Structure formats: C-alpha cells, structure tokens
Amino acid sequence: MDWLVKLILAICIITSALVMLVLAFPKNPEKRKMIFGVRDNPKFHEGDAAKKVKALADSCRKSALIITAIICIATVILVLVPTTGVTMLALMLLVFALFLIAIPFGKGNTELKSLKKELGITKSGTVYADLKNTSVVHGLKMPWLILPNAIVFLETGFAVLIDFGVIKIVDTLAIEKYALTSVSASFLFVAVILVPVAYMMDNVRNTVISKDSNVNANYNRAKKKCWGDFFIAMSWVNALAIAVLMTLYMFIYNDIAILAGVLAYIAVLMAIVVIAAKLQASIEKRYERDTDLELLDDDDCWILGMFYYNPNDTRLNVEKRFGYGGTVNIAHPAGKVIMIILAVLLVFSIGFIIWAAATGNFDQLTINTPFG
Amino acid sequence: MIIRIDEYSDVPIYMQIRNQIVMGISSGELKGGEQLPTVRALALEIGINTMTVSKTYQLLKQEGYIMTDRKNGARVRDNIAKSGVMSEENKTELRRIVSEARLSGVPKTELKKLIDEFY
C-alpha cells in the first residue's frame, strides 16, 4: 500500500506549494501593505520606482511559479513511477524543497530594501503606543481554545488505554500495534503547539494605525479575533480528526476510508488557512482608510522579510510579514533557543530521512504503515 | 492617548514618555483617576525595558502627576497640586525656546498665539 503514503505526501506537497505561492506572491503585490516583507511607501508608486517595483514583483512571481511548477511536476512523476527507496527519499525531500519557493521572496525583499536606499527613504525610528489599549485588546476566547484541546488530551488517553488493553472495545490484535496511540499522539503534538502559539498571538503588540484609540482598538481586536478563531477552528478540526480516525481504525479499518479521512483533514486545514488569510486581508483593506499614522519602519530588522532580528526590541513574538500568524524575535534569548531547536529539528529530519533510505528502511516503512 | 517614541532622539525614552503623559494630562486626554497601563504592559507594547517605564512612573509619581498602589496600579491624580509657580528648569527651557524663536524671526504675537493654543 505504498501508493497510499505517496499519494498523501504528494497531496500535502502540492497543496502546501500552492498555498505558499498564493500567500507570498499575490497578483498585485504593489497594492498590498507589505511588498515582499517591505512596508509599502508612497515613493514606490512614483515614476521610475513604480516601474521597478512592478518589474521586480513580476520577475519574483515568475520565479516562484517556475519553482512551484517544478516541485508539483516532480511530485506527480514520483507518485507515478514504481516505488523504490530512491523515489521515496526524493518525495520526502521534496517536502523540504518547499522552502525554495521562499527564495524569490527573499530576493524581492533584498532588492526592495536597496531601492529604498536609492530613493532616500530613511528609517524613521518612530514607535507609537496607545495607552488606552495597552494589554486590554484581545480576540481569543480561551475556553473555546482549551475545550477542543482538552478533548484531544482525553482522546489520546483513551487511545492509550485501548492499545494497552485496559479498555476493551475492539480486538486490538486485529489492528496495527499501538496504531491508535501513535495516531492520537501526533494530533496531541499539534494541540500542544497550538495552545501556546494562540496565546502568544493574542498577546502580540497592538499596532497603532490611528490617532483615534477606538480605531486602534477595533483594528487590533478584529485582527486578534481572526487569529483566535483560526486557532480555535484548527483545534476543533484536530479533535474531530482524531475521533474520526480512531473510529475508522477500530470499526472499519479500511485503507481507502482512512486515506479519505486523512485527505479530508488536510483539505479542511488548508481551507482554514486560506479563509483566515483572506479575512486578514479584508481587515487590512477595511482599516486602510482609517490609517492616519506613519507606521514604524523596521524593514531592516526583517532578514529576507521572513526572520525578525531586533536587539532593541524586548518582545519575543511579533506579527509575521510573510504568510499568516506570528514569528519570534531571533535577538531575544528565548527566540534564539526556539530557532536553534527548529534548525536542529530540520537538520535531524533531513538526516533521518537520508539515513532511513540508505539503510533500506523505506521498504519496511511502506509495508508497515497503518494503511496496510 | 497615543504616545510617540523617537528612537533616534537625544531625549531619553523615559523622558519622552514622561513628557507626553504630562502633555496628555494637561490637554485633558488623560483624565483624573484614569488608569495607566502596568509597567510590564507598556514596556511590552513599546518594546523597551520594564526599568525604563518604571523610571518614568517613579518620576511622574515624584512630580505628583500620578499615584501608584499595589492594588490599582498607576492612575492619574485627581487633584494635581497647583503651586502656581513655574520651575527654574522650565523657565530656562522657555527662555531657550523664546530665544530661538526670536532669532528665527518669529513675531511675538505668533509666540503668544501658540502659548494660548497650548495652554
């Protein structure tokens, strides 16, 4: 049943590539608040500068399209060719190749920063704070976030009890050993990440866009509500997916049904990301006309428009400029630790995949999947 | 009330916050008894050290503009003591401003108009 694993991987890769393309390279980036992670400036829309920005946006989008197309075509080819250790290795490494789509974005960011210098747009270094809204504007409904994640905890506990034979609902010998525990644990891992990230995003610094405190409060509340709802929706989907997959494992144990469940889970997650990004864009558009303050120009603190490094900023979490949600300040001690852990995990994952392929474990892996 | 911090200004950040809170109280944007954010919240909002905000609040408390207590945090004073006397420091600052305006050719009436507007 190796084709099932390949198909799931392929769908994940292609949808992720397309979502990245849509989020990072919109059709008219010059109309957005951020162009390749650089804050839009009126000078970007004048004379030669406008032409340069347009040409740069087109060229970066074209490069991203080519990279996405290559990844998608390579994925389809690898799904169609007979499975060997090498094809499985190549398919898994394509997951990491998704990062290549960010290269044109980084290039666009670097060139726009150079253009800023050429145009004499200097760093203003002005920070605004709204005394009325400091630490009081939130959009996350905590009980609604805790509830689905608590259900995930209970479901995982339930799965462990079934796998270890404490609770007898079905004959556990008939299904893969510890399959329920491993499936529910992977969802629990997602839940463990979702809760702190949602809390951090709800406490992200408020953006001051107007002299009117009410406008600032409404704008930040709308944005935080959008993030909060996004994390709540993700949590509920997580809780529902674990219940559906456990039911499928216990009572149906049909490969096609399980595959359909996994695919539906991926599709719903992707749909939530796209809907949340669209909502965020509509909030930005709605409040564009209420913006009467020049926002902080911290473009130089954004390495390639993706990584935030600002030693003068004591905050750990900041709003992302690329994609959806937040990121960490790498200059912050905790930020450094998080980035090191992520880098180690990334290197370890690639190393592990290569090692698994080299030692012939992929053949065993494809046979021993929970799908058959 | 919006506070504007200039990272490249010669005026220290704690003084910039202090000056703007004083201006806010004077203009009525911050009313007597109004709650100010906690030291930690304001520091996080501006992205500065909590000690900087703490220094501002201590200074404002010392000058009698705000009051702080463990239960309610920092609040604008309801009755700010009105000595009716201008401090020597402010007199020197005003003299500097008037001198610069005079050297720049700003008419006296214009200066008076500005004082009326800000007062």
Side-chain angles (χ1 to χ4, degrees), chain B residues 44-73:
Chain B
L44 210 67
E45 194 76 4
I46 307 174
I48 54 173
N49 201 298
T50 48
M51 291 303 287
T52 309
V53 181
S54 181
K55 201 171 173 184
T56 305
Y57 280 10
Q58 274 173 19
L59 188 63
L60 287 166
K61 190 184 172 185
Q62 214 178 336
E63 291 172 336
Y65 293 116
I66 65 166
M67 51 189 179
T68 55
D69 65 68
R70 279 173 194 271
K71 199 179 158 193
N72 298 312

Side-chain angles (χ1 to χ4, degrees), chain B residues 103-114:
Chain B
L103 286 171
S104 310
V106 178
K108 202 174 176 180
T109 48
E110 187 65 30
L111 215 55
K112 278 183 177 170
K113 219 163 93 182
L114 280 172

Side-chain angles (χ1 to χ4, degrees), chain A residues 123 125-131 134-135 205-206 208 210-211 213 216 312-315, chain B residues 1-8 21 30 36-37 41-49:
Chain A
K123 193 176 171 180
T126 306
V127 182
Y128 294 99
D130 193 334
L131 281 189
T134 302
S135 81
R205 169 195 191 163
N206 291 320
V208 182
S210 166
K211 287 170 193 156
S213 290
N216 294 324
N312 296 324
D313 191 345
T314 55
R315 292 172 301 154
Chain B
M1 187 207 160
I2 312 293
I3 283 190
R4 185 179 177 274
I5 307 292
D6 186 353
E7 289 178 341
Y8 300 110
I21 289 179
L30 286 173
L36 291 175
L42 188 56
L44 210 67
E45 194 76 4
I46 307 174
I48 54 173
N49 201 298

Side-chain angles (χ1 to χ4, degrees), chain A residues 23-44:
Chain A
L23 291 181
F25 303 93
K27 269 185 187 165
N28 297 306
E30 65 277 9
K31 287 182 183 167
R32 301 286 174 114
K33 210 166 146 184
M34 298 280 176
I35 312 172
F36 300 122
V38 174
R39 204 174 282 286
D40 190 18
N41 192 290
K43 286 189 182 174
F44 286 162

